[in-house]
C-alpha cells in the first residue's frame, strides 16, 4: 500500500547509513533490502538481500525477500540456484 511504501522510503536513508557503518550486520542488510523492495527498487534490494543471505544462509525470510526482489527485477534465471 501507499502508506507502507511511504514508511519504507523514509526508512531507506537511515538504513543505508547503518549498512555503510556496519556492512556485515545481517539485520541492517535485510531491513534495507526489505525497504527497497517495498519502494519497488528491486535491483538494489537484491544486492542487500544477497549480502544478508551470505551472512545468514538459513534465514527463510531473506530467501523469500530475495526471490521477491528478483521477480520484481525480472531476473528469473538468477533465482534458480
Amino acid at each position: 500500500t501507499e502508506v507502507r511504501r511511504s514508511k519504507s522510503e523514509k526508512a531507506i536513508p537511515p538504513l543505508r547509513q547503518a549498512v555503510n557503518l556496519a556492512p556485515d550486520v545481517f539485520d541492517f542488510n535485510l531491513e534495507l533490502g526489505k525497504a527497497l523492495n517495498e519502494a519497488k527498487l528491486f535491483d538494489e534490494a537484491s544486492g542487500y538481500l544477497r549480502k544478508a543471505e551470505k551472512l545468514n544462509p538459513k534465514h527463510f525470510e531473506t530467501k523469500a525477500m530475495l526471490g521477491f526482489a528478483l521477480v520484481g527485477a525480472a531476473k528469473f534465471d538468477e533465482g534458480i540456484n
Side-chain angles (χ1 to χ4, degrees), residues 20-55:
N20 286 336
L21 291 172
D24 292 328
V25 174
F26 166 76
D27 288 326
F28 295 165
N29 284 280
L30 174 61
E31 293 304 319
L32 180 52
K34 287 167 53 177
L36 291 165
N37 264 350
E38 286 290 329
K40 300 189 184 298
L41 299 170
F42 302 116
D43 279 326
E44 190 175 358
S46 66
Y48 292 102
L49 293 166
R50 284 188 193 283
K51 175 73 182 235
E53 184 181 35
K54 287 180 184 174
L55 293 169

Side-chain angles (χ1 to χ4, degrees), residues 2-19:
E2 289 299 316
V3 172
R4 188 182 314 162
R5 189 174 311 147
S6 175
K7 286 182 180 181
S8 295
E9 288 171 357
K10 289 178 184 176
I12 291 171
L15 287 168
R16 282 188 204 279
Q17 186 175 21
V19 169

Side-chain angles (χ1 to χ4, degrees), residues 46-67:
S46 66
Y48 292 102
L49 293 166
R50 284 188 193 283
K51 175 73 182 235
E53 184 181 35
K54 287 180 184 174
L55 293 169
N56 188 349
K58 295 184 179 184
H59 191 258
F60 176 78
E61 183 183 14
T62 303
K63 293 181 182 300
M65 289 292 109
L66 178 56

